[in-house]
Amino acid sequence: MKLHVGTSATIAISACFGAAPSAATSDSGGCFDSSSPFHPDDWMHCQEITDTLRMYYTPLNDTIMMGLHATEDVFGWSALAPSGNGGMKGAAQIVVRQDNSGEWIAEDRHSFDKVTPSMDEQQDVQLLFAQQDEDTGETAWGVVIPQDPCDEPYDYAIENRDIMMLWAVGSAHDFGFHKSRGQFMANLMDLPPVIPDLNEYDHIDLVMPNVHMVRGEPELDPKNPFICTYFDLAVLGADKGFTADDKIQMVGYEPIIKEGNEEYIHHLTLFSCEGTVDSEGQSSGFDGTNLEHNLVIPACTSMPPGCNGLFVAWAIGQDPPIYPEDVGFPIGEGQRFLVMQMHYFNPNLDKDVYDSSGLKLHFTTDPRPIDAGLMSFLSAVATGQQPPLPGGMKDVTTDTMYVEPDCTQAWTEPLSVLSVFHHSHFMGLKQEIVVERDGKNMGPMRTEYRYDYNHQVRLFSSNLGLYSTHKTLSLNNPSINIIYLKGTLEPNNGNYLVLYCIIGNFYAWYSHCALSFTSALAKLLPGDRMSAVCHFDTSGVSSDSVVEIGEESDREMCFQAVFYYPKQQAATGFTYGDAQGYSPWVMSDYNWCSMPPTEEVYGSLCAEKFFQDIPGFYQTFFTNALGYDGPSFDFTTMCNGGDVTADIRALLQGCPQDGCTETQSCSNELLIAWAQGACDFNCGRLGLTQYPDVSDTTPFDSVTYGCPSGFDRPDKLAEPEACQVKGSLPQTIELVGAPSSSPDDGSSDDETLSKTESDNSGVKTFNSLNALAVILMLGLLNV
């Protein structure tokens, strides 16, 4: 039957994908049986949410048709909602219900907190049909929404990537608290996501050995214990068929939470310890002596030295990762020890709490061809790293960390993004990693209008669990896009299904036929510029106080991670620092750069301080990094000290290389010139000129560790381009199988079905001929 809404041009849904849309559904039999109110000629995709709930959707040129079918027990309103993280905070709800007069309506709502969603001022939804059985509660409805209404921060742009969605149903049609709800992952532009069965793979359990949940540093906040445990791959692999020297790959993981301890688990991280440990326990790269499997470190706010290879970051609400079938995360290869850091939160200081939570890590001993990597953005994680946040603010941000193009230029090839992870504490409001490419602002890697501590999911960039390969054949006429989907119809037999789309002069297919599965930021390119920032709501704190940055739960944190492939040897871990705060590691006082010397021969106070007292010039480095507590010595003593100062010369690399150090005969004139050169370098690192040049006396704003340039006075990112609306309402849509409570043209269902079938008969014949042509062409081209 026909259902006309609005006055715009009719879209014949069945004409878009012809006679075989069910091939692209997750469950064509259960979704489109004879009793279903959804017809396969109308709805391209079907996704089972629960045993009694299914979502239907069809991507059109610039809009999305979306429907919900509850087979029973829904007697009130129902809703579907794209969400930034799977929680109510930041969700964009589409609510379908009956108003007070009994008429069905569709409402566009939003929520920024766990409260009743508010109506959007701009209503970007159109009801196609709705029905409900008063006896059984069977409910079905369909709507159409724009792909991008440009209504930020109330509605999300629908892109070809996996998103988190919510469903909810009420017990009455007056919109209020839900009777039941849930979350699921979807891709409204493509096939439903396929979650791999990790039980096909072997696993090792990495769990805390019944640790006592007490903070090991008595001087720090006792409510926030940080406890670490070492795991020895040599022990774990003994009955799993691998050694610590072998390369194994993680293909997924899932949390193991001790029953009853859910309220205490804040987050956990898993690191590999760099360097190697041979079979006899000899180590290089980190101190592996006196280590053993399940060794517990009760005081572990800071990671043990040498164990910085982060590859798992899990927090409350996070779903298991999804890797493509040819990608895995490498472990082992001589890095014998792993260490897990568990952050507990015990606000009431409950006594005698013990924990054995951790991870079930699924792995393969037959490595996949591509290694995955983790890119971390430590914008604000440690006390003192960024200024405290002022209290009493609805939206306050951290200083922005910039990763400049000279840093990403070290990547050997484009990086495919697997997922993006955000982490803050309870005041977290919003996070962004923004990409700038060739001077153009590409936008955020992930859109999450409101951060939710209880829903710290990793958002995936594309339908990674399904695609095996993607080929495009560009011919003069037509152009053929071919996508091979492994196991779509018969997931266990390894066959490939070929889907084709033809765009030619004779017939135009709608946009979803192309099935392109990459989005603008599914890849990062060498030379990209990136920025990372976090927003916080400190309005619950007095305006005359501050919120410190730090690891503890009552402080705040800004941490982001990007999981990607292929893994890069170049640094992909970036840490923000305040340039002035870090400057003591470069020299004890950066003001020396701009000041005249007390003795003119040195040229600047910087060169004078360097020449007269090396440990004093590098006091922070000597004290904190070297643990030096010996006497002071000058530059002459260091360079002409022979074997006594050989180690420090080798470390600082600051003495002349003309042989005078070997003969211990470097002159004062030569050494003063070298001292001035050292100050040119060190002052320049901080963005300063050396006296008598006082053109730059203000140091750089920030430093990004992990990048060659490091210190910087970064320019702001380019302004994002203005949003372009994609999709307008109302639409006039002809549905083959939709029920209607009020036909408006006087025709019967049989007449409408007959007309639609007749109108599309030529399309079906054309599709069959094209299918035969594609098969013949593939055979000729051997693709």
Side-chain angles (χ1 to χ4, degrees):
M1 64 181 58
K2 293 180 180 178
L3 182 65
H4 292 286
V5 183
T7 59
S8 59
T10 299
I11 299 175
I13 301 302
S14 57
C16 184
F17 47 82
S22 59
T25 65
S26 57
D27 179 9
S28 57
C31 288
F32 300 110
D33 58 30
S34 59
S35 63
S36 173
F38 292 85
H39 195 281
D41 282 353
D42 297 326
W43 301 93
M44 187 174 188
H45 301 300
C46 168
Q47 181 169 346
E48 185 174 281
I49 302 174
T50 70
D51 291 341
T52 60
L53 282 179
R54 293 190 182 98
M55 180 179 71
Y56 296 78
Y57 57 100
T58 299
L60 302 175
N61 280 329
D62 50 17
T63 57
I64 302 288
M65 278 174 38
M66 182 170 64
L68 181 69
H69 183 202
T71 57
E72 61 184 20
D73 200 31
V74 174
F75 296 97
W77 62 266
S78 52
L80 291 171
S83 168
N85 49 42
M88 281 190 67
K89 290 185 177 181
Q93 294 90 351
I94 301 297
V95 179
V96 177
R97 65 186 185 93
Q98 290 179 340
D99 64 14
N100 292 335
S101 66
E103 182 177 350
W104 283 99
I105 57 174
E107 298 173 329
D108 185 8
R109 293 176 174 263
H110 67 274
S111 56
F112 291 147
D113 210 331
K114 297 175 182 178
V115 296
T116 301
S118 302
M119 290 280 286
D120 291 10
E121 182 176 343
Q122 177 178 310
Q123 287 291 297
D124 296 303
V125 62
Q126 173 188 341
L127 183 66
L128 297 178
F129 75 92
Q131 66 175 15
Q132 190 170 78
D133 189 302
E134 295 181 357
D135 296 323
T136 66
E138 181 179 5
T139 299
W141 53 258
V143 299
V144 61
I145 59 176
Q147 289 184 19
D148 190 354
C150 292
D151 193 21
E152 186 176 341
Y154 308 110
D155 291 326
Y156 289 91
I158 305 301
E159 299 176 309
N160 201 344
R161 63 172 67 195
D162 294 345
I163 60 172
M164 294 301 300
M165 292 191 65
L166 303 176
W167 64 267
V169 298
S171 56
H173 283 281
D174 291 334
F175 186 59
F177 194 75
H178 53 75
K179 181 177 70 172
S180 58
R181 64 173 294 274
Q183 65 183 48
F184 62 101
M185 188 172 289
N187 183 347
L188 294 178
M189 296 292 287
D190 217 320
L191 292 157
V194 176
I195 308 299
D197 183 5
L198 295 177
N199 292 321
E200 297 178 4
Y201 296 91
D202 206 344
H203 69 273
I204 51 178
D205 290 346
L206 308 176
V207 296
M208 307 299 281
N210 202 36
V211 297
H212 192 193
M213 203 182 299
V214 175
R215 188 153 196 175
E217 304 97 334
E219 72 279 8
L220 298 179
D221 180 9
K223 299 189 295 294
N224 286 274
F226 286 81
I227 302 174
C228 291
T229 297
Y230 279 99
F231 301 101
D232 187 345
L233 288 176
V235 174
L236 292 167
D239 59 351
K240 296 290 186 178
F242 67 86
T243 71
D245 294 325
D246 294 331
K247 175 182 177 178
I248 64 173
Q249 280 182 334
M250 178 180 71
V251 296
Y253 61 81
E254 50 192 309
I256 300 173
I257 306 300
K258 180 181 177 180
E259 186 176 357
N261 280 5
E262 294 83 359
E263 63 180 299
Y264 302 110
I265 307 299
H266 182 280
H267 77 265
L268 67 83
T269 49
L270 185 62
F271 298 79
S272 61
C273 296
E274 306 300 327
T276 60
V277 181
D278 62 26
S279 58
E280 297 180 356
Q282 298 298 313
S283 66
S284 62
F286 83 108
D287 185 7
T289 58
N290 302 317
L291 295 185
E292 60 183 25
H293 186 60
N294 279 342
L295 176 67
V296 175
I297 306 174
C300 200
T301 300
S302 298
M303 293 306 300
C307 298
N308 300 309
L310 176 66
F311 67 98
V312 170
W314 178 88
I316 299 298
Q318 186 184 126
D319 288 329
I322 299 175
Y323 293 118
E325 61 183 15
D326 54 354
V327 177
F329 205 103
I331 305 172
E333 298 182 285
Q335 295 182 359
R336 176 173 165 182
F337 284 95
L338 309 177
V339 62
M340 182 190 300
Q341 182 198 59
M342 186 76 79
H343 177 190
Y344 298 103
F345 185 45
N346 186 2
N348 299 318
L349 295 178
D350 296 332
K351 302 294 185 182
D352 298 324
V353 182
Y354 292 83
D355 186 57
S356 54
S357 301
L359 290 175
K360 176 180 287 188
L361 190 151
H362 296 268
F363 69 93
T364 177
T365 56
D366 183 16
R368 297 171 173 183
I370 303 175
D371 286 338
L374 183 148
M375 185 184 304
S376 58
F377 296 80
L378 281 74
S379 302
V381 298
T383 301
Q385 184 182 356
Q386 291 227 20
L389 304 171
M393 305 286 287
K394 293 292 292 183
D395 187 349
V396 59
T397 65
T398 57
D399 291 341
T400 302
M401 178 171 73
Y402 293 90
V403 178
E404 298 295 340
D406 68 337
C407 196
T408 65
Q409 199 65 54
W411 300 340
T412 59
E413 58 190 298
L415 309 183
S416 295
V417 177
L418 290 167
S419 61
V420 180
F421 172 64
H422 294 162
H423 176 67
S424 290
H425 295 163
F426 301 115
M427 298 181 196
L429 184 67
K430 179 182 177 182
Q431 297 197 18
E432 284 187 330
I433 305 173
V434 177
V435 177
E436 183 181 272
R437 180 171 300 157
D438 297 327
K440 179 181 178 181
N441 189 317
M442 305 295 291
M445 296 190 67
R446 170 183 172 183
T447 302
E448 182 182 23
Y449 291 149
R450 286 294 184 271
Y451 171 81
D452 189 338
Y453 172 80
N454 294 305
H455 293 275
Q456 299 179 62
V457 300
R458 290 164 55 180
L459 262 291
F460 301 95
S461 64
S462 61
N463 201 344
L464 297 167
L466 181 67
Y467 294 96
S468 177
T469 187
H470 177 204
K471 299 181 180 180
T472 300
L473 300 178
S474 296
L475 307 178
N476 291 331
N477 189 14
S479 173
I480 305 176
N481 290 326
I482 303 163
I483 298 176
Y484 295 79
L485 307 178
K486 188 171 185 179
T488 304
L489 293 179
E490 299 174 278
N492 297 318
N493 69 2
N495 290 334
Y496 288 83
L497 169 69
V498 178
L499 296 184
Y500 61 91
C501 295
I502 297 180
I503 303 175
N505 295 330
F506 301 106
Y507 188 79
W509 284 60
Y510 287 98
S511 60
H512 68 257
C513 294
L515 287 171
S516 172
F517 61 88
T518 57
S519 57
L521 292 178
K523 284 189 180 291
L524 293 173
L525 304 183
D528 279 351
R529 186 178 187 229
M530 297 182 288
S531 71
V533 68
C534 289
H535 297 244
F536 298 91
D537 180 355
T538 63
S539 58
V541 178
S542 171
S543 59
D544 58 1
S545 61
V546 297
V547 179
E548 294 287 348
I549 299 296
E551 297 89 347
E552 292 83 356
S553 298
D554 54 358
R555 301 187 176 200
E556 267 308 335
M557 178 178 286
C558 179
F559 170 75
Q560 300 104 338
V562 175
F563 295 80
Y564 71 93
Y565 69 91
K567 185 177 182 180
Q568 298 294 297
Q569 295 303 314
T572 51
F574 311 114
T575 303
Y576 174 90
D578 173 70
Q580 294 192 35
Y582 184 75
S583 66
W585 287 89
V586 178
M587 65 177 69
S588 294
D589 187 347
Y590 68 82
N591 291 299
W592 293 341
C593 295
S594 307
M595 298 175 67
T598 61
E599 298 183 43
E600 187 175 347
V601 64
Y602 294 107
S604 73
L605 187 59
C606 176
E608 182 176 357
K609 293 289 187 181
F610 182 91
F611 187 89
Q612 293 181 350
D613 185 357
I614 292 296
F617 188 88
Y618 294 117
Q619 181 176 1
T620 300
F621 175 73
F622 267 73
T623 302
N624 295 353
L626 302 182
Y628 183 81
D629 59 358
S632 174
F633 55 86
D634 60 22
F635 193 37
T636 302
T637 301
M638 186 179 86
C639 294
N640 291 337
D643 293 341
V644 175
T645 58
D647 289 343
I648 195 66
R649 284 200 305 274
L651 179 65
L652 296 182
Q653 294 288 309
C655 291
Q657 303 298 311
D658 62 355
C660 67
T661 55
E662 285 76 12
T663 59
Q664 303 177 38
S665 59
C666 300
S667 66
N668 276 359
E669 292 77 12
L670 178 62
L671 293 178
I672 288 174
W674 272 78
Q676 292 170 344
C679 281
D680 275 339
F681 175 76
N682 287 322
C683 294
R685 288 187 65 197
L686 297 173
L688 304 170
T689 52
Q690 182 183 188
Y691 186 88
D693 182 353
V694 290
S695 57
D696 284 309
T697 59
T698 302
F700 283 144
D701 299 324
S702 63
V703 56
T704 300
Y705 312 120
C707 288
S709 55
F711 292 90
D712 199 4
R713 191 177 290 115
D715 296 326
K716 291 184 178 180
L717 293 180
E719 289 295 322
E721 294 184 349
C723 181
Q724 300 296 316
V725 172
K726 189 174 183 181
S728 61
L729 300 178
Q731 297 278 327
T732 299
I733 293 181
E734 178 180 308
L735 298 178
V736 174
S740 174
S741 56
S742 55
D744 60 358
D745 62 354
S747 62
S748 68
D749 291 355
D750 292 340
E751 291 173 340
T752 304
L753 289 173
S754 175
K755 181 177 183 299
T756 304
E757 186 174 342
S758 174
D759 287 347
N760 291 329
S761 59
V763 174
K764 296 178 181 180
T765 303
F766 186 77
N767 291 343
S768 301
L769 292 174
N770 280 335
L772 178 60
V774 169
I775 293 170
L776 292 174
M777 191 175 300
L778 292 178
L780 292 173
L781 295 175
N782 293 318
V783 295

